């Protein structure tokens, strides 16, 4: 299906209000290492995995499907119905990577892949290898299950990222033709489908396309998909009935369909509780927040706040994980957060970070950045091994390896990261997030710059009508001293807002060495806002004390009753068998014990290790058989905790976040 090269018409003001994210360069010891790991190891490794060339890893089939659809080889479709999206996410990560550092060989690989994608596109603009190869006559007949618009959305995001990085428009031409086709199928007009995808993603992608091109039709299509969801008669239910109630997953009829799994049970503006598949939910909430900001829709904004509050105050793990059950990778109900059967999919935390970023763009409230930081440093970072070649799909807070292999209820939990997955949405999602991390550090409201994450970086922007360069230096997450050098082209008044993390107490702020009093810096929604006339060379110093401390769960969170967790700065800590021996369940922390903190440069690239006094059941003294009337004897021990994100890098063994006290 190869066609001649199309040329993209000139964009209307191609960078609408040039984004802060594109002017931020990360220069950070901690995160720089992980970004280089993604560039040097993860992206090349995933390229090989997509081509089914990683020994011992599950085959992807993703590139093979495109080669067959393009007519380059014979064969049948293999993999999941949404397998195309892995290619798109890899291309998006490449785009972000190339915006950091040009790499001719990587660019050549991406261009070849884009050429292949273009060859697989139909004359009418349609693009999906599953329906091209497996069910060519059934386009748009099973949106509930088959992810057609979801895959389209990921290609849109990839096209925007790649164009912004390279200026090459081939993939952008492809996706714009695809969206033009989608507009002929969906919409409020008579004869079009009044529907939406079972897995949200295209909604937020269309907003990105609108922001790049300035074309209102993309924003309207995104709004249509959001507005239509949950309306009666329910599209997904009608479609299911028209298919004879047959589901894609078994090929047989089902007795019912629960559209709350797809967040389509009621209109989005009426929703207040996070329900259903967690990744779908946060992708949708992200688009809702985008649209609320761009259109001024107050009802949409209020729904976002309600959903955020429910999710983060009643359904989120201390690590920033969401989605507590592997049955449907879903939310369950308030305070149901089991530690050993948890799901907490990596993609869900990444989607939570997307949502947090949009909420920060709506309202400068530090609680959104607090959650973004928590999910980033713990759940997301912990999902990838230090070698960049092994991953967790599920992110548990308690692991007993034997139970993972022998208990069917825990088979989804792994004690060691895997080389790849047949359903490999998480690894490329991690790659695209880390290579675009510069987009999450700052937001602007009016003439005030808000610092959300303390990551070493250089920013160029305009504040108070003058160009300003900001150089941030940070040793997060090990040290809480941060400096920001402010260099305006001309002396001007504007605001600098510094997030005061919820985990920090007794914060100190100095400007040019002088401590600020309450009058000089006002605390507004969790940010210390400093408004003054800034001159070139002004320096802000922020001291956020980082001490290991205990965290306790809400009384309704039954899984953590009588237990405590350890946190230091943004990092949640855990016990591992490598430091404490097994079983970890027999260990408790001394209630009165304080912690000692030591930086161990030999521990997996260097990390602060926390130690405290505790007790362990003395197994040698146990004489009661399986059960006894006698209470177990306790012996004093030193308890060693390491950052959660590092667990599982020293072989298979038990792990535990919540500890008896």
């Amino acid at each position: 299906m190869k066609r001649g090269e199309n040329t993209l018409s000139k964009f209307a003001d191609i960078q609408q209000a040039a984004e802060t994210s594109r002017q931020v360069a990360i220069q950070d010891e901690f995160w720089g290492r992980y970004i280089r790991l993604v560039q040097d190891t993860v992206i090349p490794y995933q390229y090989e995995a997509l081509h089914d060339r990683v020994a011992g890893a599950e085959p992807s089939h993703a590139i093979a499907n495109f080669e067959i659809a393009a007519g380059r080889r014979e064969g049948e479709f293999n993999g999941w119905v949404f397998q195309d999206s892995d290619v798109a996410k890899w291309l998006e990560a490449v785009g972000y990577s190339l915006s950091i550092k040009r790499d001719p060989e990587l660019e050549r690989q991406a261009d070849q892949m884009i050429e292949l994608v273009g060859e697989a596109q139909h004359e009418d603009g349609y693009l999906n290898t599953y329906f091209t190869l497996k069910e060519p006559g059934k386009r748009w007949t099973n949106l509930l299950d088959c992810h057609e618009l979801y895959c389209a959305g990921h290609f849109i995001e990839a096209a925007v990222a790649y164009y912004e990085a390279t200026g090459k428009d081939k993939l952008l031409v492809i996706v714009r033709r695809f969206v033009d086709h989608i507009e002929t199928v969906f919409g409020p007009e008579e004869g079009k489908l009044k529907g939406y995808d079972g897995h949200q993603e295209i909604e937020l992608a269309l907003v990105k396309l609108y922001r790049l091109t300035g074309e209102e039709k993309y924003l309207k299509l995104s709004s249509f998909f959001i507005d239509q969801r949950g309306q009666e008669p329910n599209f997904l239910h009608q479609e299911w009935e028209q298919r004879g109630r047959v589901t894609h997953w078994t090929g047989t009829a089902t007795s019912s369909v629960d559209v709350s799994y797809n967040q389509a049970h009621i209109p989005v503006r009426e929703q207040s509780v996070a329900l259903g598949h967690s990744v779908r939910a946060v992708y949708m909430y992200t688009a809702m927040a985008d649209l609320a900001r761009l259109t001024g829709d107050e009802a949409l904004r209020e729904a976002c706040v309600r959903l955020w509050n429910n999710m983060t105050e009643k359904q989120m793990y201390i690590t920033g994980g969401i989605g507590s059950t592997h049955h449907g990778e879903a939310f369950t109900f308030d305070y149901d957060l089991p530690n050993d059967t948890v799901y907490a999919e990596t993609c869900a935390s990444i989607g939570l970070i997307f949502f947090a970023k949009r909420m920060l763009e709506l309202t400068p409230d530090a609680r959104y950045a607090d959650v973004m930081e928590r999910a980033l440093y713990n759940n997301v970072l912990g999902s990838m091994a230090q070698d960049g070649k092994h991953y967790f799909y599920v992110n548990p807070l308690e692991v007993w390896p034997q139970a993972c292999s022998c208990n069917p209820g825990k088979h989804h939990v792994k004690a060691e990261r895997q080389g790849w997955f047949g359903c490999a949405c998480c690894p490329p999602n991690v790659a695209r997030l880390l290579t675009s991390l510069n987009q999450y550090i700052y937001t602007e409201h009016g003439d005030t710059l808000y610092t959300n994450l303390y990551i070493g970086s250089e920013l160029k922007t305009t504040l108070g009508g003058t160009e300003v360069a900001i150089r941030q230096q940070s040793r997060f997450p090990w040290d809480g001293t941060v400096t920001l050098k402010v260099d305006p082209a001309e002396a001007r008044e504007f605001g600098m807002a510094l997030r005061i993390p919820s985990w920090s107490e007794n914060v100190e702020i100095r400007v040019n060495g002088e401590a600020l009093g309450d009058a000089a810096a006002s605390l507004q929604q969790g940010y210390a806002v400093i408004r003054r006339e800034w001159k070139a060379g002004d320096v802000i110093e922020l001291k956020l004390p980082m001490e290991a401390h205990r965290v306790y769960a809400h009384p309704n969170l039954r899984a953590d009753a009588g237990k405590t967790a350890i946190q230091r700065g943004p990092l949640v800590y855990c016990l591992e068998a490598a430091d404490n021996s097994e079983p970890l369940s027999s260990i408790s922390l001394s209630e009165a014990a304080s912690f000692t903190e030591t930086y161990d440069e030999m521990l997996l690239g260097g990390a602060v290790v926390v130690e405290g006094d505790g007790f362990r059941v003395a197994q040698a003294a146990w004489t009661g058989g399986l059960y006894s009337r006698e209470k177990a004897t306790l012996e004093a021990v030193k308890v060693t905790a390491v950052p959660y994100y590092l667990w599982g890098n020293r072989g298979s063994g038990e792990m535990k976040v919540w500890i008896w006290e």
Side-chain angles (χ1 to χ4, degrees):
M1 301 179 189
K2 190 171 183 179
R3 285 166 296 278
E5 184 87 19
N6 286 311
T7 56
L8 186 65
S9 59
K10 186 177 180 181
F11 291 139
D13 218 346
I14 207 148
Q15 287 302 331
Q16 266 188 340
E19 304 224 341
T20 301
S21 62
R22 297 204 60 206
Q23 304 172 46
V24 180
I26 290 178
Q27 297 175 346
D28 185 88
E29 182 179 345
F30 183 83
W31 286 108
R33 173 178 166 236
Y34 286 99
I35 292 168
R36 288 190 298 272
L37 181 66
V38 170
Q39 292 177 309
D40 299 340
T41 301
V42 175
I43 287 175
Y45 176 80
Q46 293 183 358
Y47 180 80
E48 294 300 307
L50 291 172
H51 285 82
D52 304 325
R53 296 196 292 248
V54 175
E58 274 193 74
S60 166
H61 305 292
I63 293 299
N65 290 335
F66 272 100
E67 289 175 340
I68 298 164
R72 292 190 183 183
R73 59 186 278 194
E74 297 294 322
E76 296 181 352
F77 180 93
N78 278 293
W80 295 88
V81 69
F82 43 77
Q83 213 72 359
D84 289 3
S85 63
D86 290 348
V87 172
K89 280 183 280 188
W90 184 85
L91 286 168
E92 185 182 357
V94 168
Y96 297 137
S97 180
L98 292 174
S99 71
I100 299 169
K101 181 184 70 174
R102 295 308 286 261
D103 180 335
E105 175 58 20
L106 180 61
E107 197 167 328
R108 182 191 65 80
Q109 290 176 338
D111 289 343
Q112 288 182 343
M113 196 176 289
I114 291 167
E115 182 72 25
L116 174 63
V117 170
E119 291 178 26
Q121 188 172 31
H122 291 245
E123 291 289 344
D124 63 359
Y126 183 80
L127 178 64
N128 187 288
T129 67
Y130 176 83
F131 285 97
T132 296
L133 301 173
K134 192 86 169 179
E135 297 189 273
K138 295 188 177 180
R139 294 184 194 178
W140 314 120
T141 61
N142 190 348
L143 288 154
L144 176 67
D145 298 331
C146 290
H147 294 65
E148 280 171 279
L149 293 173
Y150 167 86
C151 290
H154 275 302
F155 272 109
I156 293 168
E157 289 199 84
V160 171
Y162 200 72
Y163 176 80
E164 289 182 330
T166 66
K168 295 180 179 179
D169 65 9
K170 188 174 183 64
L171 186 56
L172 205 50
V173 170
I174 291 168
V175 301
R176 283 165 66 106
R177 291 185 63 239
F178 193 6
V179 174
D180 287 346
H181 167 76
I182 290 168
E183 281 190 301
T184 69
V185 178
F186 296 90
E189 298 84 4
E190 188 173 350
K192 293 185 179 181
L193 291 178
K194 311 300 185 292
Y196 41 86
D197 205 73
H199 194 312
Q200 300 90 319
E201 152 58 40
I202 193 171
E203 298 87 350
L204 68 93
L206 286 167
V207 172
K208 288 188 175 182
L209 192 57
Y210 160 73
R211 291 171 75 170
L212 175 69
T213 66
E215 292 199 23
E216 291 282 343
K217 65 178 184 178
Y218 300 133
L219 195 65
K220 289 180 179 178
L221 186 58
S222 176
S223 295
F224 168 78
F225 288 134
I226 288 293
D227 293 344
Q228 198 65 30
R229 187 171 291 270
Q231 300 291 343
E232 293 295 338
N234 190 283
F235 172 79
L236 295 182
H237 196 276
Q238 285 184 314
E239 180 197 69
W240 171 69
E241 291 280 6
Q242 290 166 3
R243 277 198 319 277
R245 302 187 172 189
V246 172
T247 175
H248 164 82
W249 306 112
T250 64
T252 59
T254 54
S255 59
S256 63
V257 60
D258 180 9
V259 294
S260 68
Y261 178 75
N262 312 86
Q263 298 79 39
H265 52 300
I266 56 175
V268 299
R269 289 168 182 78
E270 299 174 20
Q271 296 185 25
S272 58
V273 176
L275 293 175
H277 188 271
S278 57
V279 179
R280 299 171 200 235
V282 286
Y283 281 10
M284 182 180 82
Y285 304 159
T286 297
M288 288 167 60
D290 265 338
L291 291 168
R293 181 176 61 83
L294 291 168
T295 66
D297 190 322
E298 184 63 17
L300 209 51
R301 188 196 69 80
E302 290 174 355
C304 288
V305 172
R306 290 195 306 270
L307 291 162
W308 175 275
N309 291 345
N310 173 260
M311 179 172 54
T312 61
E313 295 175 9
K314 297 181 180 180
Q315 298 200 73
M316 183 183 73
Y317 284 92
I318 190 173
T319 55
I322 53 172
S324 59
T325 178
H326 73 283
H327 295 287
E329 305 173 328
F331 296 104
T332 53
F333 57 94
D334 293 352
Y335 302 111
D336 179 40
L337 295 168
N339 296 309
D340 57 346
T341 59
V342 56
Y343 206 71
E345 183 183 342
T346 304
C347 285
S349 282
I350 291 172
L352 177 60
I353 290 170
F354 295 163
F355 185 26
K357 176 179 183 289
R358 274 47 168 217
M359 293 303 286
L360 286 165
E361 291 170 349
L362 260 176
T363 307
D365 192 325
R367 64 194 180 118
Y368 303 130
D370 280 347
V371 169
M372 183 164 71
E373 179 185 73
R374 182 177 297 278
L376 176 65
Y377 278 94
N378 297 289
N379 202 87
V380 174
L381 190 57
S383 71
M384 183 174 68
Q386 294 294 290
D387 66 2
K389 297 180 179 180
H390 298 82
Y391 304 87
F392 283 134
Y393 195 103
V394 173
N395 295 278
L397 281 77
E398 184 175 330
V399 168
W400 180 8
Q402 188 176 1
C404 297
S405 59
C406 299
N407 182 341
K410 298 181 181 180
H411 277 179
H412 61 288
V413 177
K414 305 300 180 187
E416 293 183 278
R417 294 170 181 84
Q418 308 297 295
W420 198 250
F421 308 94
C423 175
C425 52
C426 296
N429 232 353
V430 172
R432 71 178 181 136
L433 175 67
L434 294 184
T435 47
S436 62
L437 191 57
N438 60 341
Q439 299 182 18
Y440 298 82
I441 301 173
Y442 304 100
T443 51
E444 292 180 28
H445 289 271
D447 66 349
T448 300
L449 178 72
Y450 289 81
T451 304
N452 304 314
L453 296 175
Y454 293 111
I455 295 175
S457 53
E458 288 191 352
L459 161 71
K460 292 182 179 179
T461 188
T462 300
L463 295 167
T466 189
E467 291 184 0
V468 182
I470 309 287
R471 180 177 175 83
Q472 180 184 164
Q473 292 182 304
S474 165
R475 288 203 68 246
F476 263 51
W478 313 123
D479 184 276
T481 299
V482 179
T483 61
L484 293 101
K485 184 179 179 183
V486 184
D487 277 320
E490 302 176 58
R492 290 291 172 84
E493 180 181 322
F494 52 86
M496 293 288 295
L498 311 175
R499 180 174 64 93
I500 307 303
S502 57
W503 46 259
S504 190
E505 297 179 345
N506 302 317
V507 175
E508 294 181 23
I509 303 175
R510 294 178 180 272
V511 175
N512 300 330
E514 183 179 341
L516 293 189
D518 293 339
S522 61
L523 193 64
Q524 300 175 19
Q525 293 181 290
Y527 289 90
V529 181
I530 309 168
R531 173 164 288 280
R532 55 174 281 163
E533 183 179 79
W534 297 94
K535 300 180 179 65
D538 284 346
V539 176
I540 306 170
E541 184 178 31
L542 176 66
K543 290 190 176 181
L544 300 166
M546 282 188 181
E547 76 287 338
H549 59 276
R550 300 171 194 234
V551 178
Y552 299 93
H554 190 284
N556 286 341
L557 210 169
R558 276 104 168 139
D560 301 328
K563 300 176 184 177
T564 188
I566 300 171
Q567 183 170 339
R568 182 183 185 276
L571 299 179
V572 174
Y573 276 66
C574 68
L575 307 188
E576 279 199 278
D579 306 301
N580 300 281
S581 73
E582 300 178 351
L584 297 180
S585 59
S586 70
I587 294 176
S588 58
L589 277 175
S590 174
E591 195 168 339
S594 59
F595 295 121
T596 60
E597 306 168 20
T598 307
Y599 186 80
D600 183 351
E601 62 182 16
M602 302 303 293
L603 179 64
L604 301 168
V608 171
V609 175
V610 174
E611 290 187 330
D613 293 328
F615 301 96
R616 177 189 288 280
V617 172
Q619 292 200 49
W622 181 263
T623 59
L626 186 59
Y627 304 106
S628 174
R629 294 178 63 174
E630 302 297 324
K631 188 176 181 179
T633 302
L634 299 181
E635 58 185 7
V637 294
K638 281 288 184 186
V639 179
T640 300
V642 299
Y644 172 82
Y645 80 87
L646 288 173
W647 89 270
N649 281 282
R650 295 178 288 172
S652 180
E654 289 189 21
M655 183 276 293
K656 190 177 177 70
V657 169
W658 289 94
I659 313 159
W660 294 108
E661 187 179 67

